[in-house]
Amino acid sequence: MDIPAPIRNILLRLHRAGYAAYAVGGCIRDALLGLEPHDWDVCTAAAPGEVEAVFSDCRCLETGLRHGTVTVLWEGRGVEITTFRTDGAYRDGRHPESVRFTASLEEDLARRDFTCNAMAWDGVGGIVDPFGGRDDLRRGLLRCVGEPERRFREDALRLLRALRFAARYGFTVEPATGAALHREAALLGRVSAERCFSELKGILCAPHAGDVLREYGDVLWPILPELSPEGGTSAEEWEVTCRTLDAAPAEEVLRLALLLRGRQAGEILRRLRCDRATLRAAEELAALCLLPPPDTPAAQRRELSQLGEEQSLRLARLRLALAEGHGQGAGAARKALELQAAALREGGCLTLRELAVDGSDLLALGVRPGAELGALLRGLLDAVLDGDAPNEREALLALARDRLGNGA
Ligand code: ATP
Ligand code: MG
C-alpha cells in the first residue's frame, strides 16, 4: 500500500513539527481494497490553529473550522486536515451538539461509522486499526464501530451510508449491524431530504444495489413509503426491481426511473428535493418504460424525435433491463434497440431544425403565424418520420399546399 507523495509530504511536515498525523478513513479502506482513493483525508493531533501555523506558507481555507477541519492548498489540490476529535452528545439525530478535540487517535477513530472507515496510517509504521477493520475488509463485512443501535441513533444518515458502502463494495452487512438497520429505519424520517436523496443516488448507482436492496429495502420505506407493501409495491414487483437494478446502466436518471416506474415519480422526486433536470428526465422514463417498445422504424423515429437521442437511448436500455428482469419481452426490447441504432445510423431528419422547410417557407405560402403554422410544421415532420414524405424542400412545400387546400 502506498500514499501519494503530496499526502506523504503533508504527514512528514506535521511529524517534523512534532504532531501525530495520519491518512485516515475512506482512503485507507480503498487503498487496502486495491482501489484508487478519490481523496485522501488527514487527521492530526495538531489543533486547527497549529495546523495553520505549520502550513503558514500555504493558502489555508477555514471551511470546516468549527469541526476542526482546515483545508490546505497543497501542490495544486485541497487537502482536508482535521484535528482528532470526539463528537459530543447528538442533538437531532444528525449533528453532534459539540465536538471536543483530543490528543488520542483511538478516540477519533471510535467516532467513525464503520470499521472499514476507522483505520489510519502515518505512512511509516503499521496501520492503526483498533476495531478490526482490516479483518472485516478481508471478509467483506460492513460493521458499525461500537453498538449499532446507538451509532444509528446518533446519526441516522449512517443507515443510508451503510447501504451505500455495502452496495458499492458488495459487502455483507454484519448481523448485528443488519438487525439494527431494520430496527432503526424509522430514524431516517429525521434526516433532510437533500442528504437522503444524495445517499439514495449513491446506493442506486452502486454495482451491488440490487443485492443490498433485496435485503434492506425496508430501510428506504420511511423516505419512500411508495415502495413498501402498504404503499402498493408487491413482493414480486420489488424482486423485479432488485434483479433489474444491477443489470441496468449505472446512470442516476435511469436507475431512479427504474426504482420509481409506475409511481408518481415526479411528485416523489420533488419531495426528495431532486434537481429539475433529473426530475423531468426520470419522470418521463418512469412513465414510458412501462409502454411497449416501438416495433417499426417509423415508430422508433417518432420516439427519437419526441425524446431526443439521450433520453431515447436511456429508455431503450431501461426497457431491455426491465424485460430481462421480468423474464419476458427481451426480444422486442432488443429489436427496438436495433431499430434505434439503425435510425441513428441513417442520420435522417428527426427534428424540426433538420426539416427541409421552415416557418418562413410556410408563411410565404400564406399560413398564419402561431398555432396553425406550428401544427403544419409538426405535421410535415411527422410525414417525414413516418416515411410518407422525403425530407426535400419541393416535396414538403407541395404537401403543405395540399394540406392547406384540404383545410380550406
Ligand atoms: P467516499 O469514498 O464516499 O468519500 P468516505 O469513507 O471517504 O467515502 P466521507 O463521507 O468522505 O466518506 O467521510 C470520510 C470519513 O469520515 C469516513 O471514512 C468516516 O471515517 C468518517 N465519517 C463520515 N461521515 C460519517 C458519519 N456520518 N458518521 C461517522 N463517521 C463518518
Ligand atoms: Mg471521502
mmCIF file of all heavy atoms in Angstrom, residues 103-153:
data_model
loop_
_atom_site.group_PDB
_atom_site.id
_atom_site.type_symbol
_atom_site.label_atom_id
_atom_site.label_comp_id
_atom_site.label_asym_id
_atom_site.label_seq_id
_atom_site.Cartn_x
_atom_site.Cartn_y
_atom_site.Cartn_z
ATOM 1 N N ALA A 103 -6.147 14.434 21.995
ATOM 2 C CA ALA A 103 -4.814 14.066 21.523
ATOM 3 C C ALA A 103 -4.784 12.606 21.099
ATOM 4 O O ALA A 103 -3.766 12.109 20.658
ATOM 5 C CB ALA A 103 -3.781 14.315 22.624
ATOM 6 N N SER A 104 -5.939 11.918 21.236
ATOM 7 C CA SER A 104 -5.946 10.472 21.035
ATOM 8 C C SER A 104 -6.509 10.077 19.675
ATOM 9 O O SER A 104 -7.677 10.327 19.374
ATOM 10 C CB SER A 104 -6.764 9.820 22.160
ATOM 11 O OG SER A 104 -7.267 8.573 21.733
ATOM 12 N N LEU A 105 -5.690 9.429 18.870
ATOM 13 C CA LEU A 105 -6.161 8.916 17.584
ATOM 14 C C LEU A 105 -7.287 7.907 17.793
ATOM 15 O O LEU A 105 -8.275 7.900 17.060
ATOM 16 C CB LEU A 105 -5.008 8.258 16.819
ATOM 17 C CG LEU A 105 -5.420 7.476 15.564
ATOM 18 C CD1 LEU A 105 -5.998 8.401 14.500
ATOM 19 C CD2 LEU A 105 -4.243 6.683 14.994
ATOM 20 N N GLU A 106 -7.135 7.034 18.823
ATOM 21 C CA GLU A 106 -8.149 5.995 19.044
ATOM 22 C C GLU A 106 -9.523 6.603 19.292
ATOM 23 O O GLU A 106 -10.525 6.100 18.807
ATOM 24 C CB GLU A 106 -7.756 5.071 20.213
ATOM 25 C CG GLU A 106 -6.934 3.864 19.802
ATOM 26 C CD GLU A 106 -5.487 4.241 19.463
ATOM 27 O OE1 GLU A 106 -5.094 5.414 19.718
ATOM 28 O OE2 GLU A 106 -4.763 3.380 18.918
ATOM 29 N N GLU A 107 -9.537 7.699 20.053
ATOM 30 C CA GLU A 107 -10.832 8.367 20.288
ATOM 31 C C GLU A 107 -11.419 8.871 18.974
ATOM 32 O O GLU A 107 -12.618 8.793 18.740
ATOM 33 C CB GLU A 107 -10.660 9.530 21.269
ATOM 34 C CG GLU A 107 -10.645 9.096 22.721
ATOM 35 C CD GLU A 107 -10.695 10.297 23.658
ATOM 36 O OE1 GLU A 107 -9.896 11.243 23.490
ATOM 37 O OE2 GLU A 107 -11.548 10.282 24.562
ATOM 38 N N ASP A 108 -10.569 9.399 18.136
ATOM 39 C CA ASP A 108 -11.042 9.898 16.849
ATOM 40 C C ASP A 108 -11.577 8.756 15.989
ATOM 41 O O ASP A 108 -12.631 8.873 15.364
ATOM 42 C CB ASP A 108 -9.896 10.604 16.107
ATOM 43 C CG ASP A 108 -10.356 11.199 14.783
ATOM 44 O OD1 ASP A 108 -10.855 12.333 14.800
ATOM 45 O OD2 ASP A 108 -10.252 10.517 13.750
ATOM 46 N N LEU A 109 -10.887 7.639 15.999
ATOM 47 C CA LEU A 109 -11.347 6.508 15.180
ATOM 48 C C LEU A 109 -12.666 5.958 15.721
ATOM 49 O O LEU A 109 -13.514 5.499 14.953
ATOM 50 C CB LEU A 109 -10.276 5.410 15.129
ATOM 51 C CG LEU A 109 -8.985 5.796 14.383
ATOM 52 C CD1 LEU A 109 -7.953 4.667 14.484
ATOM 53 C CD2 LEU A 109 -9.262 6.152 12.929
ATOM 54 N N ALA A 110 -12.854 6.047 17.032
ATOM 55 C CA ALA A 110 -14.059 5.479 17.652
ATOM 56 C C ALA A 110 -15.325 6.234 17.248
ATOM 57 O O ALA A 110 -16.419 5.689 17.293
ATOM 58 C CB ALA A 110 -13.921 5.478 19.175
ATOM 59 N N ARG A 111 -15.201 7.499 16.835
ATOM 60 C CA ARG A 111 -16.403 8.251 16.438
ATOM 61 C C ARG A 111 -16.805 7.928 15.007
ATOM 62 O O ARG A 111 -17.867 8.326 14.536
ATOM 63 C CB ARG A 111 -16.147 9.755 16.558
ATOM 64 C CG ARG A 111 -15.282 10.284 15.425
ATOM 65 C CD ARG A 111 -15.164 11.788 15.406
ATOM 66 N NE ARG A 111 -14.116 12.222 14.504
ATOM 67 C CZ ARG A 111 -14.273 12.436 13.186
ATOM 68 N NH1 ARG A 111 -15.449 12.270 12.634
ATOM 69 N NH2 ARG A 111 -13.262 12.816 12.438
ATOM 70 N N ARG A 112 -15.963 7.229 14.269
ATOM 71 C CA ARG A 112 -16.242 6.971 12.849
ATOM 72 C C ARG A 112 -17.273 5.866 12.690
ATOM 73 O O ARG A 112 -17.514 5.081 13.599
ATOM 74 C CB ARG A 112 -14.940 6.678 12.110
ATOM 75 C CG ARG A 112 -14.054 7.920 12.111
ATOM 76 C CD ARG A 112 -12.682 7.706 11.561
ATOM 77 N NE ARG A 112 -11.910 8.929 11.732
ATOM 78 C CZ ARG A 112 -11.828 9.902 10.813
ATOM 79 N NH1 ARG A 112 -12.449 9.791 9.664
ATOM 80 N NH2 ARG A 112 -11.128 10.986 11.065
ATOM 81 N N ASP A 113 -17.912 5.822 11.529
ATOM 82 C CA ASP A 113 -19.121 4.997 11.430
ATOM 83 C C ASP A 113 -18.891 3.485 11.339
ATOM 84 O O ASP A 113 -19.475 2.721 12.102
ATOM 85 C CB ASP A 113 -20.029 5.481 10.279
ATOM 86 C CG ASP A 113 -19.287 5.786 8.989
ATOM 87 O OD1 ASP A 113 -18.077 5.476 8.892
ATOM 88 O OD2 ASP A 113 -19.922 6.334 8.069
ATOM 89 N N PHE A 114 -18.042 3.058 10.416
ATOM 90 C CA PHE A 114 -17.883 1.620 10.184
ATOM 91 C C PHE A 114 -16.418 1.217 10.349
ATOM 92 O O PHE A 114 -15.524 2.043 10.158
ATOM 93 C CB PHE A 114 -18.400 1.247 8.784
ATOM 94 C CG PHE A 114 -19.823 1.709 8.576
ATOM 95 C CD1 PHE A 114 -20.116 2.798 7.763
ATOM 96 C CD2 PHE A 114 -20.869 1.085 9.262
ATOM 97 C CE1 PHE A 114 -21.422 3.251 7.615
ATOM 98 C CE2 PHE A 114 -22.173 1.530 9.126
ATOM 99 C CZ PHE A 114 -22.455 2.621 8.306
ATOM 100 N N THR A 115 -16.204 -0.042 10.699
ATOM 101 C CA THR A 115 -14.827 -0.475 10.990
ATOM 102 C C THR A 115 -13.913 -0.232 9.793
ATOM 103 O O THR A 115 -12.761 0.151 9.971
ATOM 104 C CB THR A 115 -14.783 -1.963 11.387
ATOM 105 O OG1 THR A 115 -15.330 -2.754 10.308
ATOM 106 C CG2 THR A 115 -15.573 -2.225 12.652
ATOM 107 N N CYS A 116 -14.449 -0.424 8.576
ATOM 108 C CA CYS A 116 -13.600 -0.233 7.393
ATOM 109 C C CYS A 116 -13.266 1.232 7.174
ATOM 110 O O CYS A 116 -12.353 1.551 6.403
ATOM 111 C CB CYS A 116 -14.273 -0.824 6.148
ATOM 112 S SG CYS A 116 -15.846 -0.041 5.744
ATOM 113 N N ASN A 117 -13.982 2.128 7.839
ATOM 114 C CA ASN A 117 -13.721 3.564 7.717
ATOM 115 C C ASN A 117 -12.951 4.096 8.924
ATOM 116 O O ASN A 117 -12.787 5.304 9.059
ATOM 117 C CB ASN A 117 -15.039 4.348 7.619
ATOM 118 C CG ASN A 117 -15.726 4.147 6.291
ATOM 119 O OD1 ASN A 117 -15.113 3.664 5.347
ATOM 120 N ND2 ASN A 117 -16.998 4.517 6.231
ATOM 121 N N ALA A 118 -12.547 3.204 9.807
ATOM 122 C CA ALA A 118 -11.954 3.637 11.078
ATOM 123 C C ALA A 118 -10.512 3.153 11.201
ATOM 124 O O ALA A 118 -10.092 2.665 12.239
ATOM 125 C CB ALA A 118 -12.804 3.134 12.253
ATOM 126 N N MET A 119 -9.777 3.288 10.118
ATOM 127 C CA MET A 119 -8.356 2.922 10.132
ATOM 128 C C MET A 119 -7.523 4.131 9.723
ATOM 129 O O MET A 119 -7.990 4.997 8.976
ATOM 130 C CB MET A 119 -8.096 1.783 9.137
ATOM 131 C CG MET A 119 -8.727 0.471 9.564
ATOM 132 S SD MET A 119 -8.354 -0.833 8.373
ATOM 133 C CE MET A 119 -9.676 -0.593 7.199
ATOM 134 N N ALA A 120 -6.285 4.155 10.224
ATOM 135 C CA ALA A 120 -5.396 5.281 9.931
ATOM 136 C C ALA A 120 -3.988 4.760 9.678
ATOM 137 O O ALA A 120 -3.600 3.707 10.175
ATOM 138 C CB ALA A 120 -5.393 6.257 11.111
ATOM 139 N N TRP A 121 -3.225 5.514 8.902
ATOM 140 C CA TRP A 121 -1.844 5.128 8.602
ATOM 141 C C TRP A 121 -0.984 6.370 8.525
ATOM 142 O O TRP A 121 -1.347 7.327 7.831
ATOM 143 C CB TRP A 121 -1.808 4.355 7.276
ATOM 144 C CG TRP A 121 -0.500 3.661 7.041
ATOM 145 C CD1 TRP A 121 0.289 3.056 7.987
ATOM 146 C CD2 TRP A 121 0.195 3.506 5.800
ATOM 147 N NE1 TRP A 121 1.409 2.515 7.415
ATOM 148 C CE2 TRP A 121 1.377 2.781 6.062
ATOM 149 C CE3 TRP A 121 -0.076 3.895 4.489
ATOM 150 C CZ2 TRP A 121 2.299 2.444 5.079
ATOM 151 C CZ3 TRP A 121 0.842 3.559 3.499
ATOM 152 C CH2 TRP A 121 2.012 2.833 3.792
ATOM 153 N N ASP A 122 0.154 6.338 9.224
ATOM 154 C CA ASP A 122 1.020 7.519 9.195
ATOM 155 C C ASP A 122 2.058 7.416 8.076
ATOM 156 O O ASP A 122 2.913 8.276 7.939
ATOM 157 C CB ASP A 122 1.694 7.755 10.560
ATOM 158 C CG ASP A 122 2.651 6.641 10.933
ATOM 159 O OD1 ASP A 122 2.835 5.707 10.118
ATOM 160 O OD2 ASP A 122 3.223 6.701 12.040
ATOM 161 N N GLY A 123 1.988 6.351 7.298
ATOM 162 C CA GLY A 123 2.892 6.208 6.159
ATOM 163 C C GLY A 123 4.219 5.577 6.520
ATOM 164 O O GLY A 123 5.041 5.333 5.647
ATOM 165 N N VAL A 124 4.425 5.331 7.814
ATOM 166 C CA VAL A 124 5.715 4.794 8.265
ATOM 167 C C VAL A 124 5.510 3.470 8.998
ATOM 168 O O VAL A 124 6.009 2.424 8.599
ATOM 169 C CB VAL A 124 6.443 5.786 9.208
ATOM 170 C CG1 VAL A 124 7.816 5.267 9.560
ATOM 171 C CG2 VAL A 124 6.511 7.168 8.558
ATOM 172 N N GLY A 125 4.735 3.523 10.056
ATOM 173 C CA GLY A 125 4.527 2.329 10.896
ATOM 174 C C GLY A 125 3.420 1.451 10.338
ATOM 175 O O GLY A 125 3.130 1.475 9.145
ATOM 176 N N GLY A 126 2.819 0.671 11.231
ATOM 177 C CA GLY A 126 1.721 -0.199 10.808
ATOM 178 C C GLY A 126 0.427 0.589 10.708
ATOM 179 O O GLY A 126 0.351 1.749 11.129
ATOM 180 N N ILE A 127 -0.587 -0.042 10.146
ATOM 181 C CA ILE A 127 -1.897 0.594 10.083
ATOM 182 C C ILE A 127 -2.533 0.531 11.472
ATOM 183 O O ILE A 127 -2.484 -0.505 12.136
ATOM 184 C CB ILE A 127 -2.773 -0.108 9.037
ATOM 185 C CG1 ILE A 127 -2.249 0.251 7.643
ATOM 186 C CG2 ILE A 127 -4.237 0.287 9.177
ATOM 187 C CD1 ILE A 127 -2.986 -0.404 6.519
ATOM 188 N N VAL A 128 -3.081 1.655 11.919
ATOM 189 C CA VAL A 128 -3.762 1.676 13.214
ATOM 190 C C VAL A 128 -5.214 1.254 12.980
ATOM 191 O O VAL A 128 -5.929 1.890 12.206
ATOM 192 C CB VAL A 128 -3.708 3.079 13.862
ATOM 193 C CG1 VAL A 128 -4.359 3.057 15.234
ATOM 194 C CG2 VAL A 128 -2.266 3.569 13.939
ATOM 195 N N ASP A 129 -5.612 0.179 13.648
ATOM 196 C CA ASP A 129 -6.886 -0.468 13.304
ATOM 197 C C ASP A 129 -7.503 -1.074 14.565
ATOM 198 O O ASP A 129 -7.586 -2.282 14.706
ATOM 199 C CB ASP A 129 -6.586 -1.546 12.240
ATOM 200 C CG ASP A 129 -7.813 -2.374 11.874
ATOM 201 O OD1 ASP A 129 -8.947 -1.907 12.115
ATOM 202 O OD2 ASP A 129 -7.625 -3.480 11.336
ATOM 203 N N PRO A 130 -7.946 -0.230 15.489
ATOM 204 C CA PRO A 130 -8.398 -0.759 16.782
ATOM 205 C C PRO A 130 -9.706 -1.546 16.707
ATOM 206 O O PRO A 130 -10.038 -2.250 17.652
ATOM 207 C CB PRO A 130 -8.567 0.500 17.649
ATOM 208 C CG PRO A 130 -8.673 1.626 16.691
ATOM 209 C CD PRO A 130 -7.979 1.235 15.439
ATOM 210 N N PHE A 131 -10.447 -1.456 15.612
ATOM 211 C CA PHE A 131 -11.766 -2.111 15.578
ATOM 212 C C PHE A 131 -11.836 -3.277 14.596
ATOM 213 O O PHE A 131 -12.926 -3.751 14.261
ATOM 214 C CB PHE A 131 -12.853 -1.070 15.266
ATOM 215 C CG PHE A 131 -12.829 0.076 16.228
ATOM 216 C CD1 PHE A 131 -12.299 1.299 15.859
ATOM 217 C CD2 PHE A 131 -13.290 -0.092 17.528
ATOM 218 C CE1 PHE A 131 -12.229 2.351 16.757
ATOM 219 C CE2 PHE A 131 -13.228 0.952 18.440
ATOM 220 C CZ PHE A 131 -12.698 2.175 18.058
ATOM 221 N N GLY A 132 -10.688 -3.712 14.139
ATOM 222 C CA GLY A 132 -10.674 -4.883 13.256
ATOM 223 C C GLY A 132 -11.188 -4.593 11.856
ATOM 224 O O GLY A 132 -11.748 -5.471 11.191
ATOM 225 N N GLY A 133 -10.980 -3.389 11.387
ATOM 226 C CA GLY A 133 -11.441 -3.014 10.052
ATOM 227 C C GLY A 133 -10.794 -3.832 8.948
ATOM 228 O O GLY A 133 -11.437 -4.208 7.970
ATOM 229 N N ARG A 134 -9.520 -4.138 9.146
ATOM 230 C CA ARG A 134 -8.795 -4.878 8.119
ATOM 231 C C ARG A 134 -9.351 -6.289 7.951
ATOM 232 O O ARG A 134 -9.541 -6.766 6.829
ATOM 233 C CB ARG A 134 -7.331 -4.940 8.539
ATOM 234 C CG ARG A 134 -6.467 -4.917 7.348
ATOM 235 C CD ARG A 134 -5.032 -4.777 7.716
ATOM 236 N NE ARG A 134 -4.315 -4.964 6.462
ATOM 237 C CZ ARG A 134 -3.047 -4.678 6.280
ATOM 238 N NH1 ARG A 134 -2.342 -4.195 7.284
ATOM 239 N NH2 ARG A 134 -2.488 -4.880 5.117
ATOM 240 N N ASP A 135 -9.621 -6.929 9.082
ATOM 241 C CA ASP A 135 -10.231 -8.273 9.036
ATOM 242 C C ASP A 135 -11.595 -8.220 8.370
ATOM 243 O O ASP A 135 -11.935 -9.071 7.559
ATOM 244 C CB ASP A 135 -10.420 -8.807 10.463
ATOM 245 C CG ASP A 135 -9.251 -9.676 10.870
ATOM 246 O OD1 ASP A 135 -8.356 -9.876 10.014
ATOM 247 O OD2 ASP A 135 -9.230 -10.131 12.021
ATOM 248 N N ASP A 136 -12.384 -7.223 8.743
ATOM 249 C CA ASP A 136 -13.724 -7.091 8.151
ATOM 250 C C ASP A 136 -13.622 -6.878 6.639
ATOM 251 O O ASP A 136 -14.383 -7.457 5.874
ATOM 252 C CB ASP A 136 -14.505 -5.951 8.816
ATOM 253 C CG ASP A 136 -15.014 -6.353 10.203
ATOM 254 O OD1 ASP A 136 -15.057 -7.574 10.487
ATOM 255 O OD2 ASP A 136 -15.360 -5.449 10.987
ATOM 256 N N LEU A 137 -12.669 -6.050 6.229
ATOM 257 C CA LEU A 137 -12.468 -5.825 4.790
ATOM 258 C C LEU A 137 -12.147 -7.133 4.090
ATOM 259 O O LEU A 137 -12.676 -7.443 3.035
ATOM 260 C CB LEU A 137 -11.297 -4.874 4.560
ATOM 261 C CG LEU A 137 -11.546 -3.385 4.433
ATOM 262 C CD1 LEU A 137 -10.275 -2.698 3.959
ATOM 263 C CD2 LEU A 137 -12.682 -3.097 3.469
ATOM 264 N N ARG A 138 -11.236 -7.888 4.712
ATOM 265 C CA ARG A 138 -10.825 -9.150 4.109
ATOM 266 C C ARG A 138 -12.022 -10.082 3.956
ATOM 267 O O ARG A 138 -12.163 -10.779 2.970
ATOM 268 C CB ARG A 138 -9.772 -9.813 5.008
ATOM 269 C CG ARG A 138 -8.520 -10.185 4.247
ATOM 270 C CD ARG A 138 -7.481 -10.783 5.171
ATOM 271 N NE ARG A 138 -6.383 -9.852 5.405
ATOM 272 C CZ ARG A 138 -5.916 -9.496 6.603
ATOM 273 N NH1 ARG A 138 -6.465 -9.982 7.716
ATOM 274 N NH2 ARG A 138 -4.904 -8.672 6.704
ATOM 275 N N ARG A 139 -12.898 -10.060 4.938
ATOM 276 C CA ARG A 139 -14.069 -10.953 4.879
ATOM 277 C C ARG A 139 -15.260 -10.311 4.173
ATOM 278 O O ARG A 139 -16.303 -10.924 4.030
ATOM 279 C CB ARG A 139 -14.466 -11.361 6.304
ATOM 280 C CG ARG A 139 -13.472 -12.345 6.923
ATOM 281 C CD ARG A 139 -13.907 -12.762 8.302
ATOM 282 N NE ARG A 139 -13.692 -11.677 9.267
ATOM 283 C CZ ARG A 139 -13.978 -11.760 10.559
ATOM 284 N NH1 ARG A 139 -14.536 -12.846 11.039
ATOM 285 N NH2 ARG A 139 -13.738 -10.740 11.356
ATOM 286 N N GLY A 140 -15.095 -9.049 3.777
ATOM 287 C CA GLY A 140 -16.187 -8.373 3.079
ATOM 288 C C GLY A 140 -17.366 -8.082 3.987
ATOM 289 O O GLY A 140 -18.518 -8.275 3.609
ATOM 290 N N LEU A 141 -17.067 -7.614 5.192
ATOM 291 C CA LEU A 141 -18.139 -7.342 6.169
ATOM 292 C C LEU A 141 -18.230 -5.851 6.468
ATOM 293 O O LEU A 141 -17.217 -5.194 6.714
ATOM 294 C CB LEU A 141 -17.830 -8.062 7.485
ATOM 295 C CG LEU A 141 -18.144 -9.558 7.570
ATOM 296 C CD1 LEU A 141 -17.806 -10.064 8.964
ATOM 297 C CD2 LEU A 141 -19.621 -9.805 7.254
ATOM 298 N N LEU A 142 -19.439 -5.338 6.463
ATOM 299 C CA LEU A 142 -19.668 -3.966 6.899
ATOM 300 C C LEU A 142 -20.205 -4.003 8.327
ATOM 301 O O LEU A 142 -21.245 -4.610 8.596
ATOM 302 C CB LEU A 142 -20.675 -3.252 5.998
ATOM 303 C CG LEU A 142 -20.768 -1.767 6.325
ATOM 304 C CD1 LEU A 142 -19.623 -1.003 5.675
ATOM 305 C CD2 LEU A 142 -22.094 -1.181 5.912
ATOM 306 N N ARG A 143 -19.460 -3.385 9.232
ATOM 307 C CA ARG A 143 -19.801 -3.471 10.656
ATOM 308 C C ARG A 143 -19.682 -2.098 11.296
ATOM 309 O O ARG A 143 -18.729 -1.367 11.043
ATOM 310 C CB ARG A 143 -18.800 -4.418 11.334
ATOM 311 C CG ARG A 143 -19.052 -4.687 12.818
ATOM 312 C CD ARG A 143 -17.808 -5.259 13.496
ATOM 313 N NE ARG A 143 -17.259 -6.424 12.830
ATOM 314 C CZ ARG A 143 -17.602 -7.691 13.093
ATOM 315 N NH1 ARG A 143 -18.469 -7.946 14.050
ATOM 316 N NH2 ARG A 143 -17.048 -8.682 12.429
ATOM 317 N N CYS A 144 -20.661 -1.740 12.105
ATOM 318 C CA CYS A 144 -20.568 -0.476 12.843
ATOM 319 C C CYS A 144 -19.413 -0.519 13.829
ATOM 320 O O CYS A 144 -19.109 -1.564 14.400
ATOM 321 C CB CYS A 144 -21.845 -0.227 13.659
ATOM 322 S SG CYS A 144 -23.204 0.409 12.688
ATOM 323 N N VAL A 145 -18.798 0.619 14.061
ATOM 324 C CA VAL A 145 -17.887 0.768 15.187
ATOM 325 C C VAL A 145 -18.758 0.908 16.428
ATOM 326 O O VAL A 145 -19.604 1.805 16.483
ATOM 327 C CB VAL A 145 -16.998 2.022 15.028
ATOM 328 C CG1 VAL A 145 -16.214 2.298 16.298
ATOM 329 C CG2 VAL A 145 -16.068 1.861 13.834
ATOM 330 N N GLY A 146 -18.582 0.007 17.394
ATOM 331 C CA GLY A 146 -19.391 0.104 18.611
ATOM 332 C C GLY A 146 -20.775 -0.475 18.411
ATOM 333 O O GLY A 146 -21.015 -1.258 17.496
ATOM 334 N N GLU A 147 -21.692 -0.028 19.252
ATOM 335 C CA GLU A 147 -23.029 -0.622 19.283
ATOM 336 C C GLU A 147 -23.894 -0.026 18.170
ATOM 337 O O GLU A 147 -24.162 1.178 18.160
ATOM 338 C CB GLU A 147 -23.639 -0.302 20.654
ATOM 339 C CG GLU A 147 -24.776 -1.210 21.033
ATOM 340 C CD GLU A 147 -25.628 -0.536 22.081
ATOM 341 O OE1 GLU A 147 -25.052 0.060 23.020
ATOM 342 O OE2 GLU A 147 -26.876 -0.586 21.922
ATOM 343 N N PRO A 148 -24.348 -0.856 17.225
ATOM 344 C CA PRO A 148 -25.026 -0.324 16.031
ATOM 345 C C PRO A 148 -26.218 0.574 16.348
ATOM 346 O O PRO A 148 -26.338 1.669 15.783
ATOM 347 C CB PRO A 148 -25.473 -1.582 15.284
ATOM 348 C CG PRO A 148 -24.568 -2.667 15.747
ATOM 349 C CD PRO A 148 -24.194 -2.327 17.155
ATOM 350 N N GLU A 149 -27.092 0.131 17.266
ATOM 351 C CA GLU A 149 -28.278 0.955 17.580
ATOM 352 C C GLU A 149 -27.880 2.370 17.971
ATOM 353 O O GLU A 149 -28.435 3.346 17.483
ATOM 354 C CB GLU A 149 -29.049 0.366 18.776
ATOM 355 C CG GLU A 149 -30.351 -0.257 18.414
ATOM 356 C CD GLU A 149 -30.147 -1.715 18.101
ATOM 357 O OE1 GLU A 149 -29.080 -2.238 18.480
ATOM 358 O OE2 GLU A 149 -31.019 -2.306 17.452
ATOM 359 N N ARG A 150 -26.923 2.426 18.881
ATOM 360 C CA ARG A 150 -26.514 3.737 19.385
ATOM 361 C C ARG A 150 -25.938 4.583 18.259
ATOM 362 O O ARG A 150 -26.236 5.769 18.131
ATOM 363 C CB ARG A 150 -25.467 3.569 20.499
ATOM 364 C CG ARG A 150 -25.204 4.839 21.287
ATOM 365 C CD ARG A 150 -24.354 4.579 22.524
ATOM 366 N NE ARG A 150 -22.998 4.141 22.187
ATOM 367 C CZ ARG A 150 -22.019 4.961 21.770
ATOM 368 N NH1 ARG A 150 -22.250 6.249 21.659
ATOM 369 N NH2 ARG A 150 -20.826 4.490 21.483
ATOM 370 N N ARG A 151 -25.129 3.961 17.393
ATOM 371 C CA ARG A 151 -24.497 4.712 16.308
ATOM 372 C C ARG A 151 -25.521 5.251 15.304
ATOM 373 O O ARG A 151 -25.393 6.340 14.792
ATOM 374 C CB ARG A 151 -23.436 3.861 15.606
ATOM 375 C CG ARG A 151 -22.343 3.311 16.505
ATOM 376 C CD ARG A 151 -21.734 4.316 17.454
ATOM 377 N NE ARG A 151 -21.279 5.559 16.833
ATOM 378 C CZ ARG A 151 -20.135 5.709 16.187
ATOM 379 N NH1 ARG A 151 -19.299 4.714 16.057
ATOM 380 N NH2 ARG A 151 -19.800 6.881 15.674
ATOM 381 N N PHE A 152 -26.566 4.438 15.035
ATOM 382 C CA PHE A 152 -27.597 4.905 14.107
ATOM 383 C C PHE A 152 -28.464 5.975 14.749
ATOM 384 O O PHE A 152 -28.935 6.898 14.084
ATOM 385 C CB PHE A 152 -28.454 3.735 13.614
ATOM 386 C CG PHE A 152 -27.704 2.794 12.684
ATOM 387 C CD1 PHE A 152 -27.821 1.419 12.814
ATOM 388 C CD2 PHE A 152 -26.869 3.292 11.694
ATOM 389 C CE1 PHE A 152 -27.123 0.557 11.970
ATOM 390 C CE2 PHE A 152 -26.166 2.436 10.835
ATOM 391 C CZ PHE A 152 -26.293 1.069 10.991
ATOM 392 N N ARG A 153 -28.679 5.843 16.069
ATOM 393 C CA ARG A 153 -29.487 6.880 16.734
ATOM 394 C C ARG A 153 -28.747 8.198 16.804
ATOM 395 O O ARG A 153 -29.351 9.271 16.714
ATOM 396 C CB ARG A 153 -29.872 6.420 18.147
ATOM 397 C CG ARG A 153 -30.998 5.411 18.089
ATOM 398 C CD ARG A 153 -31.458 4.963 19.447
ATOM 399 N NE ARG A 153 -32.206 3.732 19.290
ATOM 400 C CZ ARG A 153 -32.407 2.837 20.228
ATOM 401 N NH1 ARG A 153 -31.909 3.030 21.439
ATOM 402 N NH2 ARG A 153 -33.101 1.756 19.983
#
